[in-house]
Structures are given as C-alpha cells and as structure tokens.
C-alpha cells in the first residue's frame, strides 16, 4: 500500500527533528548564551593591552579610607587633589564622584545660622559686616554705617567676632572650595546620571545652558543608523559644579544574563 505524503517516513523524521531543535533551543538557550558570553570574556582577556602610562587611576579603596577616614570624605580633600593634579600638569581630570547634592557638616549649619542671626540683629547694627573684595575684583568696598551706638571697644570686638564666624564658614563650606578648585583648574570632567527609558511628552523644565553646552552638536538621525539609547530623566550636578567643570555621564548597563558589565553606551539621547 502506497503511503501518503503526510505519513511518509522522511516527513515524520524531519518534523520530529524540527520539534526537537525547537524544544532544545527553548530549554538550553540560556546555556548557549552563557557559553557565548564566556567565549567573549575569554577573547577579551586574551586581547587586552597594556594601559597607557600617561593615565593614572586614583582609587578610593580600603587603603585610602584607612588613611583618610570613612567615606564620604570632606570635599576639600578632593579640591586639594585637583589642585595638585593641575599643578603637576594633568591634561584632563575625570572626577567620578557624583556631586548632585550639597555636602554640609552639622557645624557648618550652625555657623551659617549664627551669621544670619548676627547680621539681622542689633549686633549687626552696631558693627555691620563688610565682605572683603574677591581676588581680582576692582569693585569698591562700601562700608556700612552703624545704626546702633556702642562703645568703640565693643564695636571692635563685634567686628572681630563676625570675621571669625566668616572664617569658620569658609573652612567648613567644602562645596565652595571644590567648585573653586574645578573652576581654577579648567580641566575637570564631572559625572551626571540619566534614567533609561522612552521619554513621554516634554521635559518638566528646560535644560540649563551650562548643562546643554556639554551635549554633542550633531548626532545622525538616519533611521537606518543605530540610534543612541533614549533617556527620560536626568540627575545633574549642583549648579556651582556644573558651571565650573565639563560634564559627561556615568552609567553602567550590566548584561541581563549574568550581571557582568561588557559594554557601555558612548552616546545617550535626552528628549531630542
């Protein structure tokens, strides 16, 4: 008896083979991926080169924490390092610590409160504080006339007290020191964060010019080209730091299969 096409042995064998391959792929695809990534990692290790001797990595590690104290460090530590690197001829300083929030110690908060109290009270009326002229400024300092009468020696003591408060504030205001170090160096690049995802509508507020000036001037919009990853939100540095340094982004996108970092996007797209 002649067999039909659908019942022929060769067709049954092909069908069984296809089903077996499909099931094996579904079951073992994760294993295939692990094999592929392991081979990739091995190849990258074999092809890794010697780091450029002109590139130095200054790590925040256990040894430095044991020496300088627990993290986070006061930001004037970083300011001092930037000064030293700039003086030693560093061409670019990549600063990878996020500075999107202010750093204030408890003492600084109380000092600022005492300064505000002094300036708004009868103490400030008796001996008004006159801020010194910033270095390089040609503006004339105009002294304020006292509005409260006190003996001369008391006024002298009050003026000295206010100056001491200002000096204490200058010492504890480490954010200002770090921003000034970045400004003076002119070679610092600081990081900012983006949140991956397709943006909806328009951003809540316009991107400040001192942030936007760090964007690329032209990125291809050809649909056939691979487009940069889209982002829907950003966490920029504080204004004083953003104005004093250049800005890049610092993100890690680990491989979802095993959490290993194998690639980083060189360009991101933000609402454009």
């Amino acid at each position: 008896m002649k067999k039909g096409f659908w019942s022929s042995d060769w067709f049954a064998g092909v069908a069984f083979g296809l089903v077996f391959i499909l099931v094996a792929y579904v079951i073992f695809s994760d294993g295939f991926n692990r094999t592929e990534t392991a081979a990739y990692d091995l190849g990258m290790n074999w092809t890794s080169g010697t780091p450029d001797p002109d590139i130095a990595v200054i790590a925040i590690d256990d040894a430095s924490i044991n020496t300088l104290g627990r993290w986070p460090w006061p930001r004037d530590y970083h300011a001092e390092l930037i000064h030293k690197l700039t003086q030693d001829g560093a061409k670019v300083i990549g600063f990878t610590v996020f500075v999107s929030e202010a750093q204030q110690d408890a003492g600084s908060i109380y000092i600022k409160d005492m300064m505000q109290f002094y300036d708004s009270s009868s103490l400030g009326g008796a001996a008004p504080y006159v801020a010194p002229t910033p270095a390089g400024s040609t503006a004339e300092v105009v002294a304020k006339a006292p509005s409260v009468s006190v003996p001369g020696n008391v006024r002298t003591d009050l003026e000295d007290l206010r100056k001491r408060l200002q000096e204490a504030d200058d010492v504890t205001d480490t954010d200002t020191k770090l921003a000034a170090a970045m400004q003076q160096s002119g070679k610092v690049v600081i990081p900012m964060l983006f949140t991956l995802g397709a943006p909806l509508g328009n951003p809540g507020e316009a991107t400040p010019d001192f942030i936007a000036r760090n964007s690329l001037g032209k990125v291809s919009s050809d649909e056939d080209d691979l487009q940069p990853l889209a982002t829907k939100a950003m966490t920029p540095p504080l204004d004083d730091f953003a104005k004093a340094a250049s800005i890049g982004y610092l993100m890690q996108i680990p491989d979802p299969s095993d959490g290993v970092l194998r690639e980083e996007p060189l360009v991101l797209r933000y609402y454009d």
Side-chain angles (χ1 to χ4, degrees):
M1 181 177 178
K2 186 176 181 181
K3 294 184 178 180
F5 175 78
W6 300 105
S7 60
S8 60
D9 293 340
W10 71 267
F11 177 79
V14 170
F16 177 80
L18 291 175
V19 171
F20 177 80
I21 292 173
L22 179 61
V23 172
Y25 177 79
V26 172
I27 295 176
F28 299 107
S29 60
D30 187 54
F32 293 155
N33 288 336
R34 287 198 297 269
T35 301
E36 180 182 7
T37 54
Y40 175 84
D41 294 343
L42 182 62
M44 291 300 294
N45 289 331
W46 282 351
T47 58
S48 60
T50 303
D52 191 316
D54 290 334
I55 299 176
V57 176
I58 302 175
I60 301 170
D61 54 13
D62 290 340
S64 56
I65 289 175
N66 290 335
T67 301
L68 299 177
R70 67 180 183 179
W71 183 263
W73 298 329
R75 286 179 176 165
D76 55 343
Y77 285 20
H78 304 298
E80 184 178 353
L81 177 60
I82 289 174
H83 283 310
K84 290 181 178 179
L85 292 174
T86 303
Q87 291 170 359
D88 289 343
K91 294 181 179 179
V92 178
I93 303 172
F95 185 78
T96 58
V97 178
F98 289 102
V99 286
S100 54
E101 296 180 350
Q103 184 184 73
Q104 286 186 329
D105 60 29
S108 176
I109 296 174
Y110 285 111
I111 291 170
K112 290 183 183 299
D113 181 66
M114 287 188 288
M115 291 167 55
Q116 183 178 6
F117 171 78
Y118 180 101
D119 293 338
S120 60
S121 70
S122 59
L123 300 177
Y129 175 71
V130 180
T133 303
S137 174
T138 58
E140 182 179 355
V141 177
V142 179
K144 299 179 182 178
S147 59
V148 177
S149 178
V150 294
N153 61 326
V154 175
R155 177 170 292 111
T156 300
D157 290 343
L158 289 175
E159 290 174 348
D160 184 59
L161 171 63
R162 183 58 177 81
K163 289 179 181 178
R164 289 171 182 264
L165 288 174
Q166 187 63 52
E167 290 171 357
D169 183 60
D170 293 341
V171 170
T172 56
D173 188 358
T174 57
D175 281 359
T176 297
K177 290 184 178 182
L178 179 56
M182 293 178 177
Q183 183 72 49
Q184 292 169 11
S185 171
K187 300 177 180 179
V188 181
V189 182
I190 59 177
M192 64 182 294
L193 278 174
F194 285 91
T195 302
L196 294 177
L200 300 176
N202 297 315
E205 55 186 23
T207 303
D209 291 339
F210 51 83
I211 299 289
R213 63 182 169 84
N214 297 276
S215 63
L216 296 178
K218 182 179 181 181
V219 178
S220 173
S221 59
D222 190 338
E223 294 182 357
D224 294 333
D225 290 342
L226 182 63
Q227 296 299 301
L229 292 175
T231 62
K232 59 183 179 182
M234 67 175 178
T235 305
L238 294 174
D239 290 0
D240 287 346
F241 298 120
K243 295 175 182 177
S246 299
I247 304 174
Y249 65 86
L250 188 61
M251 294 184 62
Q252 293 186 341
I253 306 177
D255 191 321
S257 66
D258 56 9
V260 175
L261 184 66
R262 294 189 174 88
E263 61 181 8
E264 292 190 24
L266 299 180
V267 180
L268 294 177
R269 182 181 297 274
Y270 179 72
Y271 281 97
D272 61 350

